[in-house]
Amino acid sequence: MTEIDVKTDHDRLLIVDFGSQVTQLIARRLRELNVYCEIHPFQNVTTDFLTDFAPKAVILSGGPASVIDDASPRPPAEVFSLGVPVLGICYGQQVMMQMLGGEVLRGDGTAEFGRAWVTKTDTATDLLTGWFLETREQVWMSHGDHVARIAPGFEVAGTSPNAPFAVIADTERRFYAVQFHPEVHHTPNGRTLFENFIRIAGFTGDWTMDAYREQAVAKIREQVGDARVICALSGGVDSSVAAVLIHEAIGDQLTCVYVDHGLMRQGESEQVVSMFREHYNLPLIHADESELFLGKLDGVSDPETKRKIIGGLFIDVFQKHADALGGAEFLAQGTLYPDVIESVSFSGGPSVTIKSHHNVGGLPEKMGMKLVEPLRELFKDEVRALGRELGLPDSFIGRHPFPGPGLAIRCPGEITREKLDILRKADAVYIDQIRKHGLYDEIWQAFVAILPVRTVGVMGDGRTYDFACALRAVTSVDGMTADYYPFTHDFLGETATRIINEVKGINRVTYDITSKPPGTIEWE
Ligand code: XMP
């Protein structure tokens, strides 16, 4: 990736990534401040790249390497002759000092991890405007090596017991560096520091969803021309926002295919089809292929086999409908920025983290189509903001994630129509309960799994022998780790009673209190 992903008319900030675990948070903080930025691994930031990218400011990230090692990663020296402000964070500070004539020493006994307090010196810097309203600022440190001598031109503006050069500044050249991590939440006033930095750099805060929408529409038109585009619309937020945006750009050159695999939740297919067809006037094919999917899944209980069958059929069905349309040159996908970012591992090799199951895996290669990915620059919450900007209802934008294989992976063991039916009803009652108690938005994801076991119960005067189900609700930031949601016993009791009373076929309700890890969010 030596070329710039995104040509944007906005002011751009370049984040040079040296492999810190928290580099993405720098981008998050800046995007929150309406600044357009991109993260690029240090290996890709060549002199040509810098000229091409033309950043209005540069941030050098933290990273696990030691600048004292010969082969340690560095930015090109031109970073310091562009005439733009540069901010070094942790490793970024050390590399800056090393390259500009300071000195860095190995951290024998001076390593510092965790919370620390920075106090001010007599030197004031505009980087710290709004800081030290209290006598000291809490910051989060995580460094082994430390700066022993600062480079000529720099002055110390903040110190901590173990980091005498916690904040340094060369105000004339607009070079700044901090030993701590202002991007993490444990540096509560970190945002102010970024605010100051972008003000110093002259950013106008022009990265808004409204501006983005206009620019994205123009870009899609330019990329696609008169060609046809097809889009696999799942009804999830990403593919929905992508479809509505592309439709705004090219109208009926876009056709969406909604593949109904018979594994959707209660009323979901009707909602998706009516919203996009009637409300948005999107050309939409409702491919009801539930017979095909459920037929092929008949008797299958292994989770991976289920996923493979569903994934394979999805591609076949989509291809069939695309062919029937007379083909298309472009395929639209709702790929997001976190899927695009290459992060850098300690060994220097790129370690790519892509949630492949979020994409329509295998389609582009198989169909030889070019991709239109208008959300490639956005984080999830930006996609939601764009969705709102495009008029998608809040109730839709805030929906919990729903996996591509749908209810198949919430029905451990063999999938039958009877079980799916029961599951849909129980799930609807559970979600209704959560909404009624005003808890929906506090929860990352909530659903029912129907268990492959019948248990004995008693209702009225009679014996029952029905299915047991498990309720799941988790909080999470990104789905990678999760905690179970701490419902009150009253809520759980009331919900269990409602499910058993209202859903024929279930006579026992359990609550899953496993976190991830060691569990996963879905049951399969
Ligand atoms: P797990 O179960 O791995 O799930 O903890 C993490 C998140 O990913 C969703 N998920 C999927 N999403 N296709 C998707 O689009 C899939 O095959 C898939 N599998 C899991 C899951 O719902 C949760 O949000």
Side-chain angles (χ1 to χ4, degrees), residues 220-231 250 253-255 318-319 322-323 325-333 363-373:
I220 295 165
R221 286 190 186 136
E222 192 188 319
Q223 184 192 2
V224 169
D226 296 333
R228 289 181 72 103
V229 179
I230 51 174
C231 172
I250 58 167
Q253 280 167 255
L254 169 75
T255 304
F318 189 78
Q319 173 101 57
D323 290 348
L325 282 170
E329 206 176 308
F330 291 94
L331 176 75
Q333 283 195 335
L363 264 177
E365 300 85 64
K366 190 154 175 168
M367 301 181 74
M369 298 167 91
K370 286 179 254 173
L371 288 176
V372 186
E373 297 179 308

Short mmCIF file of all heavy atoms in Angstrom, two decimals, residues 220-231 250 253-255 318-319 322-323 325-333 363-373:
data_model
loop_
_atom_site.label_atom_id
_atom_site.label_comp_id
_atom_site.label_asym_id
_atom_site.label_seq_id
_atom_site.Cartn_x
_atom_site.Cartn_y
_atom_site.Cartn_z
N ILE A 220 -18.13 8.53 -6.11
CA ILE A 220 -18.79 7.32 -6.64
C ILE A 220 -19.15 7.56 -8.11
O ILE A 220 -18.89 6.71 -8.97
CB ILE A 220 -20.06 6.98 -5.82
CG1 ILE A 220 -19.68 6.59 -4.40
CG2 ILE A 220 -20.85 5.85 -6.49
CD1 ILE A 220 -20.85 6.57 -3.41
N ARG A 221 -19.69 8.73 -8.42
CA ARG A 221 -20.05 9.04 -9.82
C ARG A 221 -18.82 8.97 -10.72
O ARG A 221 -18.87 8.42 -11.81
CB ARG A 221 -20.64 10.45 -9.90
CG ARG A 221 -22.03 10.51 -9.36
CD ARG A 221 -22.69 11.85 -9.67
NE ARG A 221 -23.97 11.89 -9.00
CZ ARG A 221 -24.45 12.94 -8.32
NH1 ARG A 221 -23.75 14.05 -8.25
NH2 ARG A 221 -25.61 12.87 -7.74
N GLU A 222 -17.72 9.50 -10.21
CA GLU A 222 -16.51 9.51 -11.02
C GLU A 222 -16.00 8.08 -11.24
O GLU A 222 -15.61 7.71 -12.33
CB GLU A 222 -15.46 10.35 -10.28
CG GLU A 222 -14.26 10.68 -11.12
CD GLU A 222 -13.19 11.33 -10.26
OE1 GLU A 222 -13.53 12.18 -9.40
OE2 GLU A 222 -12.01 10.97 -10.43
N GLN A 223 -16.05 7.28 -10.20
CA GLN A 223 -15.52 5.92 -10.30
C GLN A 223 -16.38 5.05 -11.21
O GLN A 223 -15.86 4.27 -12.01
CB GLN A 223 -15.46 5.27 -8.90
CG GLN A 223 -14.83 3.88 -8.94
CD GLN A 223 -15.00 3.09 -7.63
OE1 GLN A 223 -15.64 3.55 -6.69
NE2 GLN A 223 -14.45 1.90 -7.60
N VAL A 224 -17.68 5.19 -11.10
CA VAL A 224 -18.59 4.24 -11.74
C VAL A 224 -18.97 4.65 -13.16
O VAL A 224 -19.18 3.80 -14.03
CB VAL A 224 -19.86 4.10 -10.86
CG1 VAL A 224 -20.94 3.35 -11.58
CG2 VAL A 224 -19.51 3.41 -9.55
N GLY A 225 -19.04 5.93 -13.42
CA GLY A 225 -19.46 6.40 -14.75
C GLY A 225 -20.86 5.92 -15.06
O GLY A 225 -21.77 6.08 -14.24
N ASP A 226 -21.03 5.27 -16.23
CA ASP A 226 -22.37 4.80 -16.62
C ASP A 226 -22.59 3.34 -16.24
O ASP A 226 -23.61 2.76 -16.60
CB ASP A 226 -22.54 4.87 -18.15
CG ASP A 226 -22.46 6.30 -18.62
OD1 ASP A 226 -22.79 7.18 -17.81
OD2 ASP A 226 -22.05 6.51 -19.79
N ALA A 227 -21.61 2.73 -15.60
CA ALA A 227 -21.68 1.28 -15.39
C ALA A 227 -22.73 0.90 -14.35
O ALA A 227 -23.24 1.74 -13.61
CB ALA A 227 -20.31 0.77 -14.96
N ARG A 228 -23.04 -0.39 -14.32
CA ARG A 228 -24.02 -0.89 -13.34
C ARG A 228 -23.29 -1.37 -12.08
O ARG A 228 -22.19 -1.92 -12.16
CB ARG A 228 -24.76 -2.09 -13.92
CG ARG A 228 -25.74 -1.74 -15.01
CD ARG A 228 -26.41 -3.01 -15.45
NE ARG A 228 -27.32 -3.46 -14.43
CZ ARG A 228 -28.65 -3.33 -14.51
NH1 ARG A 228 -29.17 -2.77 -15.56
NH2 ARG A 228 -29.43 -3.77 -13.56
N VAL A 229 -23.97 -1.19 -10.96
CA VAL A 229 -23.40 -1.63 -9.68
C VAL A 229 -24.41 -2.54 -9.00
O VAL A 229 -25.61 -2.24 -9.01
CB VAL A 229 -23.16 -0.41 -8.75
CG1 VAL A 229 -22.59 -0.85 -7.41
CG2 VAL A 229 -22.24 0.60 -9.41
N ILE A 230 -23.93 -3.64 -8.42
CA ILE A 230 -24.85 -4.41 -7.59
C ILE A 230 -24.32 -4.49 -6.17
O ILE A 230 -23.12 -4.38 -5.92
CB ILE A 230 -25.14 -5.84 -8.12
CG1 ILE A 230 -23.85 -6.57 -8.41
CG2 ILE A 230 -26.03 -5.82 -9.33
CD1 ILE A 230 -24.09 -8.00 -8.78
N CYS A 231 -25.27 -4.66 -5.28
CA CYS A 231 -24.91 -4.60 -3.87
C CYS A 231 -25.68 -5.69 -3.13
O CYS A 231 -26.89 -5.86 -3.34
CB CYS A 231 -25.32 -3.21 -3.36
SG CYS A 231 -25.16 -3.02 -1.59
N ILE A 250 -25.87 7.42 -7.96
CA ILE A 250 -26.06 6.92 -9.34
C ILE A 250 -27.47 6.40 -9.61
O ILE A 250 -27.72 5.81 -10.66
CB ILE A 250 -25.03 5.81 -9.68
CG1 ILE A 250 -25.15 4.65 -8.69
CG2 ILE A 250 -23.62 6.37 -9.68
CD1 ILE A 250 -24.41 3.40 -9.13
N GLN A 253 -28.77 2.98 -11.59
CA GLN A 253 -27.65 2.15 -12.05
C GLN A 253 -27.31 1.12 -10.97
O GLN A 253 -26.57 0.19 -11.20
CB GLN A 253 -26.41 3.00 -12.28
CG GLN A 253 -26.40 3.76 -13.59
CD GLN A 253 -25.29 4.81 -13.55
OE1 GLN A 253 -25.54 5.99 -13.41
NE2 GLN A 253 -24.04 4.38 -13.65
N LEU A 254 -27.84 1.35 -9.77
CA LEU A 254 -27.60 0.42 -8.66
C LEU A 254 -28.77 -0.56 -8.52
O LEU A 254 -29.92 -0.16 -8.61
CB LEU A 254 -27.49 1.20 -7.34
CG LEU A 254 -27.50 0.35 -6.06
CD1 LEU A 254 -26.15 -0.35 -5.86
CD2 LEU A 254 -27.80 1.20 -4.82
N THR A 255 -28.44 -1.84 -8.36
CA THR A 255 -29.47 -2.81 -7.99
C THR A 255 -29.01 -3.52 -6.72
O THR A 255 -27.85 -3.96 -6.64
CB THR A 255 -29.68 -3.86 -9.09
OG1 THR A 255 -29.97 -3.19 -10.30
CG2 THR A 255 -30.83 -4.79 -8.73
N PHE A 318 -26.38 -15.15 -5.09
CA PHE A 318 -26.10 -13.77 -5.47
C PHE A 318 -25.67 -13.73 -6.95
O PHE A 318 -26.14 -12.92 -7.73
CB PHE A 318 -25.02 -13.19 -4.57
CG PHE A 318 -24.82 -11.73 -4.77
CD1 PHE A 318 -25.71 -10.83 -4.20
CD2 PHE A 318 -23.77 -11.25 -5.52
CE1 PHE A 318 -25.55 -9.46 -4.39
CE2 PHE A 318 -23.59 -9.89 -5.72
CZ PHE A 318 -24.48 -9.00 -5.15
N GLN A 319 -24.80 -14.65 -7.28
CA GLN A 319 -24.30 -14.75 -8.67
C GLN A 319 -25.48 -14.98 -9.64
O GLN A 319 -25.56 -14.34 -10.68
CB GLN A 319 -23.32 -15.92 -8.76
CG GLN A 319 -22.85 -16.25 -10.15
CD GLN A 319 -21.46 -15.68 -10.40
OE1 GLN A 319 -20.52 -15.98 -9.67
NE2 GLN A 319 -21.35 -14.85 -11.41
N ALA A 322 -27.35 -11.81 -10.05
CA ALA A 322 -26.54 -10.83 -10.78
C ALA A 322 -26.54 -11.18 -12.27
O ALA A 322 -26.69 -10.30 -13.12
CB ALA A 322 -25.13 -10.82 -10.23
N ASP A 323 -26.39 -12.46 -12.59
CA ASP A 323 -26.40 -12.90 -13.99
C ASP A 323 -27.74 -12.54 -14.64
O ASP A 323 -27.80 -12.08 -15.77
CB ASP A 323 -26.18 -14.40 -14.10
CG ASP A 323 -24.73 -14.77 -13.74
OD1 ASP A 323 -23.91 -13.83 -13.65
OD2 ASP A 323 -24.46 -15.96 -13.53
N LEU A 325 -29.57 -10.20 -14.04
CA LEU A 325 -29.65 -8.75 -14.31
C LEU A 325 -28.81 -8.35 -15.51
O LEU A 325 -28.75 -7.18 -15.86
CB LEU A 325 -29.07 -7.99 -13.10
CG LEU A 325 -29.95 -7.84 -11.89
CD1 LEU A 325 -29.12 -7.28 -10.74
CD2 LEU A 325 -31.09 -6.87 -12.21
N GLY A 326 -28.11 -9.33 -16.08
CA GLY A 326 -27.25 -9.01 -17.20
C GLY A 326 -25.86 -8.57 -16.74
O GLY A 326 -25.13 -7.93 -17.48
N GLY A 327 -25.51 -8.94 -15.53
CA GLY A 327 -24.17 -8.65 -15.02
C GLY A 327 -24.01 -7.20 -14.60
O GLY A 327 -24.89 -6.38 -14.78
N ALA A 328 -22.88 -6.93 -13.98
CA ALA A 328 -22.58 -5.57 -13.54
C ALA A 328 -21.08 -5.47 -13.43
O ALA A 328 -20.40 -6.48 -13.19
CB ALA A 328 -23.23 -5.29 -12.19
N GLU A 329 -20.57 -4.27 -13.63
CA GLU A 329 -19.12 -4.11 -13.61
C GLU A 329 -18.61 -3.95 -12.17
O GLU A 329 -17.49 -4.28 -11.87
CB GLU A 329 -18.81 -2.85 -14.41
CG GLU A 329 -17.43 -2.84 -15.01
CD GLU A 329 -17.25 -1.58 -15.86
OE1 GLU A 329 -18.10 -1.32 -16.73
OE2 GLU A 329 -16.27 -0.87 -15.62
N PHE A 330 -19.48 -3.41 -11.31
CA PHE A 330 -19.04 -3.09 -9.94
C PHE A 330 -19.87 -3.81 -8.88
O PHE A 330 -21.07 -3.99 -9.04
CB PHE A 330 -19.16 -1.59 -9.69
CG PHE A 330 -18.19 -0.77 -10.46
CD1 PHE A 330 -18.55 -0.24 -11.69
CD2 PHE A 330 -16.92 -0.53 -9.97
CE1 PHE A 330 -17.66 0.53 -12.42
CE2 PHE A 330 -16.02 0.25 -10.69
CZ PHE A 330 -16.39 0.79 -11.91
N LEU A 331 -19.18 -4.15 -7.80
CA LEU A 331 -19.85 -4.73 -6.64
C LEU A 331 -19.65 -3.77 -5.46
O LEU A 331 -18.53 -3.36 -5.17
CB LEU A 331 -19.21 -6.08 -6.30
CG LEU A 331 -19.74 -6.76 -5.04
CD1 LEU A 331 -21.11 -7.36 -5.30
CD2 LEU A 331 -18.79 -7.85 -4.59
N ALA A 332 -20.75 -3.41 -4.81
CA ALA A 332 -20.64 -2.49 -3.68
C ALA A 332 -20.52 -3.26 -2.38
O ALA A 332 -21.20 -4.26 -2.18
CB ALA A 332 -21.88 -1.60 -3.63
N GLN A 333 -19.64 -2.80 -1.51
CA GLN A 333 -19.48 -3.43 -0.20
C GLN A 333 -19.37 -2.38 0.90
O GLN A 333 -18.85 -1.29 0.67
CB GLN A 333 -18.21 -4.28 -0.15
CG GLN A 333 -18.34 -5.60 -0.86
CD GLN A 333 -17.21 -6.55 -0.49
OE1 GLN A 333 -16.13 -6.11 -0.10
NE2 GLN A 333 -17.46 -7.83 -0.59
N LEU A 363 -16.90 -13.18 -2.85
CA LEU A 363 -17.66 -12.68 -4.00
C LEU A 363 -16.80 -11.95 -5.04
O LEU A 363 -16.85 -12.27 -6.21
CB LEU A 363 -18.77 -11.74 -3.53
CG LEU A 363 -20.15 -12.37 -3.37
CD1 LEU A 363 -21.11 -11.34 -2.83
CD2 LEU A 363 -20.65 -12.91 -4.69
N PRO A 364 -16.00 -10.94 -4.59
CA PRO A 364 -15.29 -10.16 -5.59
C PRO A 364 -14.36 -11.01 -6.45
O PRO A 364 -14.33 -10.87 -7.66
CB PRO A 364 -14.48 -9.17 -4.75
CG PRO A 364 -15.11 -9.16 -3.41
CD PRO A 364 -15.78 -10.47 -3.23
N GLU A 365 -13.61 -11.94 -5.82
CA GLU A 365 -12.66 -12.76 -6.58
C GLU A 365 -13.43 -13.61 -7.58
O GLU A 365 -13.09 -13.73 -8.74
CB GLU A 365 -11.85 -13.69 -5.68
CG GLU A 365 -11.01 -12.98 -4.62
CD GLU A 365 -11.79 -12.69 -3.36
OE1 GLU A 365 -12.21 -13.65 -2.72
OE2 GLU A 365 -12.02 -11.50 -3.03
N LYS A 366 -14.50 -14.22 -7.08
CA LYS A 366 -15.22 -15.17 -7.90
C LYS A 366 -15.89 -14.48 -9.10
O LYS A 366 -15.98 -15.04 -10.18
CB LYS A 366 -16.28 -15.86 -7.03
CG LYS A 366 -16.93 -17.02 -7.72
CD LYS A 366 -17.45 -18.03 -6.73
CE LYS A 366 -18.20 -19.09 -7.52
NZ LYS A 366 -18.51 -20.25 -6.73
N MET A 367 -16.36 -13.26 -8.88
CA MET A 367 -17.14 -12.63 -9.93
C MET A 367 -16.33 -11.69 -10.81
O MET A 367 -16.84 -11.15 -11.78
CB MET A 367 -18.30 -11.85 -9.29
CG MET A 367 -19.19 -12.76 -8.48
SD MET A 367 -20.57 -11.91 -7.73
CE MET A 367 -21.62 -11.64 -9.13
N GLY A 368 -15.05 -11.51 -10.47
CA GLY A 368 -14.20 -10.65 -11.30
C GLY A 368 -14.76 -9.24 -11.44
O GLY A 368 -14.71 -8.65 -12.51
N MET A 369 -15.32 -8.71 -10.36
CA MET A 369 -15.89 -7.37 -10.42
C MET A 369 -14.99 -6.38 -9.69
O MET A 369 -14.24 -6.75 -8.81
CB MET A 369 -17.27 -7.37 -9.76
CG MET A 369 -18.23 -8.28 -10.45
SD MET A 369 -19.67 -8.50 -9.41
CE MET A 369 -20.66 -7.19 -10.02
N LYS A 370 -15.15 -5.13 -10.07
CA LYS A 370 -14.43 -4.09 -9.35
C LYS A 370 -15.26 -3.68 -8.13
O LYS A 370 -16.49 -3.77 -8.17
CB LYS A 370 -14.21 -2.89 -10.25
CG LYS A 370 -13.13 -3.17 -11.30
CD LYS A 370 -12.94 -1.99 -12.22
CE LYS A 370 -13.57 -2.29 -13.57
NZ LYS A 370 -13.59 -1.20 -14.51
N LEU A 371 -14.59 -3.22 -7.10
CA LEU A 371 -15.31 -2.90 -5.86
C LEU A 371 -15.62 -1.41 -5.73
O LEU A 371 -14.79 -0.57 -6.07
CB LEU A 371 -14.46 -3.30 -4.65
CG LEU A 371 -14.33 -4.79 -4.38
CD1 LEU A 371 -13.38 -5.02 -3.20
CD2 LEU A 371 -15.68 -5.42 -4.08
N VAL A 372 -16.79 -1.14 -5.22
CA VAL A 372 -17.12 0.23 -4.79
C VAL A 372 -17.29 0.15 -3.27
O VAL A 372 -18.15 -0.58 -2.79
CB VAL A 372 -18.46 0.72 -5.39
CG1 VAL A 372 -18.69 2.18 -5.03
CG2 VAL A 372 -18.49 0.51 -6.88
N GLU A 373 -16.44 0.84 -2.56
CA GLU A 373 -16.47 0.75 -1.10
C GLU A 373 -16.50 2.14 -0.48
O GLU A 373 -15.48 2.64 0.02
CB GLU A 373 -15.25 -0.03 -0.60
CG GLU A 373 -15.22 -1.47 -1.09
CD GLU A 373 -14.00 -2.23 -0.61
OE1 GLU A 373 -12.88 -1.72 -0.79
OE2 GLU A 373 -14.17 -3.31 -0.04
#
